[in-house]
Structures are given as structure tokens and as C-alpha cells.
């Protein structure tokens, strides 16, 4: 445990993305599962874990960057080549398979927003495709990019500063998160509510929790590794008794972040060499929507095809477009999504 990279964070990111995959697969194909299975899937909630681990990794990347331009270049190489590959593939599939007439101006605008930072917008003319959202999970790209930029500026405010200062800033964004969750339904029009939901203040607390753990990892990793199961048990209790508040659950999200980082350092031998998590995140809804659009929705076949297709696309994407990030000159483990 002397090496800060001696962990299995890559494996946990993969598991988090697979949980998101399962969360979309089950309702898309009307798969019936028991309440106990649903509860188990809901415990290890992928999005908050993924965002917290991204904050953990990005904090170290900021410290190693020589300038904002250097930092931004690494992030572009990490996020966008594979994203653009997914957007292009999805666009081609939609042109070929969409059963409704394509309105080209909204369609082209949609592709532009999918490949930049407004992934949460879907034109009404495309709501008839697949499940109704051509690649809904991409909304996190918008949030991630915003949080990366904000964390860069917060680095000077928080790096090598007291835990009290960290706690104050994290509490501020948690307060925003909770307040937003309470008033969002009253915000009109609906697009304004979407903008608030997909803005960085709503989700930044998760990145900051991860960044805090990275800031003090040398001092805390031993206790985190020993106590990870306690934090996970706390997350289970919060989930079971539904004693939580805010988007994604502030208590559960925090306990999951503590547990995930602790587990990563407790079991570094579980680490995997290649990080396919981003590709799974990008491609799983492309495959699911394709199957829904062509009517393959019954039995085990769509599950097998969804999993197989997503894994193949993820592996191919990682070893082709994903390798462009090597131009940053940094090892894989120092890069995050």
C-alpha cells in the first residue's frame, strides 16, 4: 500500500458502469426481477460511485498538470475521441433504422450537442427512436466536463488546506444539491429544470468527496482499507431504511465513495489492466436502442446481444480511439473519465 496507484479503482469503475448498464437493460426489455434482486442492484449505485472515483483520479491529474491547457488537452484526449466514435456510430444506425421520417436540422443539431457538452438535449422528433432517448446516459459527459473545469480552479483553494475548509465547501454544494432536489419540480419551463439538474453545482459534491479522499490518501488509505466494509454496510442501511436526502442520496453516496476507495486499496490484486468502463458507458444504450428499434425485445436473446455487443464495441473503442490518450504522455492509471 505504499504506492498510491496500488489499487483496483479501474475494476470498481468497470463494476459501476455495469450496474448502470443493468439499470438500463432491465426496464428497456421489461425484464422482471425480484424485490431482493432490485435491492441488491440498487445498493452499488453506479453513477455516484463513478463520479466520486472520477473526482479522486482527476485531483491527482490536476496536481500533475503544468497548466490549464495541459490539463484540458489530457481531458479532451480522454473523453472525446471515444465519444465522437460513439456519436458517429449511433447517428449511422439511426439513419438506417429509424422508422420515422428524420427531420435533418434537429437531427444534425442533436449530433452536435451529443459530441460537445449539451448531451442532455433530445429533440422531440427523435423521441420515437428505441426507448425514447438515443443515448440518454451521455448527460454525465456534460456534468463531468463542467466539474473538471471547476475543480481546476478549486485546486488552489483546497490543495494542502485544512479538512475544515474542505468540509465547508463540500457542505455548500451538498446544500445546493438538496435545495435543488426540493424545488426542481416547480421550475418552469422544463428545459430550465433540466439545465439546473445537469449543472455542476448539483453533482460537484461527489467529485469533491473523491478529491478529498485523494488529497489525504497517504494519511487515510490504511484506515479506509480496513473499514471499507463498515462504510458499505452503512450504505446498505441507508438504502434499506431510505434515510437519506438530496439527489443520489448524500449519505449513501458518501458512504459508497469511502467504501469504494477503501476497497480499492484493500484489494489491489483485483485490478485490471485495461479500463473498458468508459466504452461500456458510451455504447450500451446504442446497442439496447438498436435492439428495441428492430423489435428484438423478448426472452434472453436481447440480453445476450446487448451484453456481447456492448463489450465488443467497448474493447474495440478502447484499443483504437481510446489509445489516442497516450499522446498525453501519461500512464493509463493517471487518466480518468
Amino acid at each position: 500500500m505504499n504506492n498510491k496507484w496500488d489499487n483496483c479503482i479501474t475494476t470498481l469503475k468497470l463494476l459501476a458502469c455495469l450496474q448502470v448498464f443493468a439499470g438500463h437493460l432491465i426496464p428497456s426489455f421489461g425484464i422482471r426481477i425480484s424485490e431482493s434482486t432490485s435491492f441488491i442492484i440498487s445498493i452499488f449505485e453506479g453513477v455516484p460511485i463513478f463520479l466520486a472515483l472520477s473526482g479522486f483520479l482527476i485531483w491527482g491529474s490536476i496536481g500533475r498538470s503544468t497548466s490549464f491547457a495541459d490539463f484540458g488537452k489530457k481531458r479532451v484526449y480522454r473523453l472525446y475521441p471515444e465519444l465522437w466514435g460513439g456519436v458517429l456510430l449511433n447517428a449511422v444506425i439511426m439513419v438506417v433504422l429509424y422508422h420515422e421520417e428524420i427531420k435533418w436540422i434537429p437531427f444534425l443539431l442533436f449530433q452536435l450537442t451529443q459530441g460537445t457538452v449539451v448531451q442532455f438535449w433530445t429533440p422531440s422528433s427523435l423521441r420515437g427512436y428505441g426507448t425514447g432517448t438515443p443515448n440518454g446516459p451521455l448527460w454525465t459527459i456534460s456534468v463531468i466536463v463542467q466539474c473538471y473545469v471547476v475543480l481546476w480552479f478549486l485546486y488552489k483553494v483546497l490543495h494542502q488546506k485544512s479538512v475544515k475548509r474542505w468540509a465547508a465547501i463540500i457542505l455548500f454544494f451538498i446544500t445546493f444539491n438538496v435545495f435543488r432536489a426540493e424545488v426542481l419540480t416547480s421550475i418552469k419551463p422544463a428545459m430550465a429544470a433540466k439545465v439546473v439538474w445537469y449543472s455542476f453545482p448539483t453533482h460537484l459534491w461527489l467529485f469533491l468527496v473523491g478529491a478529498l479522499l485523494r488529497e489525504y490518501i497517504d494519511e487515510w488509505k490504511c484506515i479506509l482499507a480496513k473499514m471499507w466494509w463498515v462504510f458499505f454496510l452503512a450504505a446498505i442501511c441507508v438504502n434499506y431504511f431510505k434515510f437519506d436526502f438530496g439527489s443520489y442520496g448524500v449519505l449513501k453516496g458518501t458512504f459508497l465513495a469511502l467504501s469504494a476507495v477503501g476497497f480499492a486499496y484493500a484489494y489491489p490484486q483485483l485490478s485490471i489492466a485495461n479500463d473498458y468502463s468508459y466504452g461500456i458507458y458510451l455504447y450500451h444504450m446504442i446497442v439496447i436502442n438498436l435492439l428495441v428499434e428492430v423489435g428484438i425485445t423478448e426472452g434472453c436473446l436481447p440480453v445476450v446481444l446487448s451484453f456481447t455487443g456492448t463489450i465488443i464495441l467497448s474493447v474495440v473503442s478502447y484499443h483504437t480511439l481510446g489509445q489516442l490518450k497516450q499522446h498525453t504522455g501519461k500512464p493509463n492509471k493517471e487518466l480518468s473519465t
Side-chain angles (χ1 to χ4, degrees):
M1 291 176 60
N2 293 325
N3 188 335
K4 64 173 62 68
W5 294 114
D6 191 14
N7 59 61
C8 64
I9 284 180
T10 301
T11 304
L12 289 172
K13 288 170 59 183
L14 177 62
L15 292 175
C17 286
L18 288 174
Q19 190 275 346
V20 173
F21 186 1
H24 292 141
L25 183 76
I26 291 168
S28 296
F29 298 119
I31 300 172
R32 294 182 180 180
I33 59 174
S34 65
E35 290 187 9
S36 58
T37 302
S38 177
F39 178 76
I40 292 172
I41 293 175
S42 69
I43 292 172
F44 191 78
E45 193 168 2
V47 171
I49 292 173
F50 192 77
L51 297 184
L53 291 179
S54 292
F56 181 93
L57 293 168
I58 205 66
W59 197 251
S61 179
I62 293 173
R64 294 185 299 273
S65 300
T66 58
S67 65
F68 183 75
D70 175 47
F71 173 69
K73 180 181 178 181
K74 289 186 289 186
R75 304 281 61 80
V76 168
Y77 273 120
R78 182 63 182 97
L79 289 175
Y80 282 96
E82 288 191 84
L83 172 64
W84 290 333
V87 170
L88 178 60
L89 175 64
N90 202 27
V92 172
I93 292 172
M94 292 175 69
V95 169
V96 173
L97 296 180
Y98 195 21
H99 62 277
E100 296 183 11
E101 180 183 356
I102 293 178
K103 297 181 179 180
W104 288 104
I105 292 180
F107 180 81
L108 293 175
L109 285 175
F110 175 71
Q111 307 312 322
L112 177 64
T113 57
Q114 289 279 283
T116 50
V117 291
V118 196
Q119 287 84 1
F120 57 83
W121 175 71
T122 300
S124 58
S125 58
L126 296 179
R127 290 293 182 182
Y129 177 75
T131 62
T133 52
N135 203 350
L138 292 192
W139 68 264
T140 54
I141 303 297
S142 174
V143 171
I144 286 170
V145 170
Q146 294 175 66
C147 288
Y148 282 174
V149 174
V150 175
L151 284 176
W152 168 267
F153 291 103
L154 284 177
Y155 190 81
K156 292 183 179 179
V157 178
L158 292 173
H159 182 52
Q160 296 182 336
K161 299 301 189 295
S162 68
V163 176
K164 290 183 179 179
R165 178 177 292 193
W166 277 89
I169 293 180
I170 291 174
L171 182 61
F172 171 81
F173 286 105
I174 286 176
T175 302
F176 182 93
N177 173 282
V178 174
F179 177 75
R180 182 221 59 83
E182 294 297 327
V183 303
L184 186 62
T185 54
S186 65
I187 297 178
K188 303 296 182 182
M191 181 55 69
K194 275 192 172 184
V195 170
V196 174
W197 166 249
Y198 297 118
S199 65
F200 75 87
T202 302
H203 304 87
L204 188 65
W205 68 275
L206 278 165
F207 283 84
L208 285 170
V209 169
L212 172 63
L213 295 175
R214 175 61 179 83
E215 177 77 11
Y216 289 95
I217 192 60
D218 291 332
E219 294 90 340
W220 295 354
K221 62 184 174 183
C222 289
I223 186 65
L224 288 171
K226 292 178 181 179
M227 301 291 289
W228 72 266
W229 63 273
V230 176
F231 298 125
F232 191 61
L233 182 60
I236 293 174
C237 292
V238 169
N239 196 59
Y240 180 78
F241 292 106
K242 296 180 171 49
F243 179 71
D244 215 339
F245 52 90
S247 302
Y248 287 119
V250 171
L251 294 178
K252 179 183 173 183
T254 301
F255 287 136
L256 284 176
L258 293 168
S259 177
V261 173
F263 183 91
Y265 283 94
Y267 300 100
Q269 66 272 23
L270 298 179
S271 180
I272 56 177
N274 298 320
D275 185 3
Y276 298 124
S277 60
Y278 187 43
I280 291 173
Y281 212 89
L282 291 176
Y283 289 102
H284 74 275
M285 279 307 298
I286 295 177
V287 178
I288 289 173
N289 275 319
L290 184 157
L291 294 173
V292 171
E293 187 66 16
V294 299
I296 302 176
T297 60
E298 300 293 333
C300 296
L301 182 60
V303 176
V304 173
L305 291 177
S306 295
F307 184 79
T308 304
T310 298
I311 296 301
I312 291 174
L313 288 171
S314 302
V315 171
V316 171
S317 177
Y318 176 85
H319 289 289
T320 55
L321 297 173
Q323 295 310 302
L324 293 176
K325 61 179 175 286
Q326 298 300 325
H327 292 295
T328 62
K330 298 294 183 182
N332 282 350
K333 285 189 177 181
E334 298 188 7
L335 295 161
S336 70
T337 50

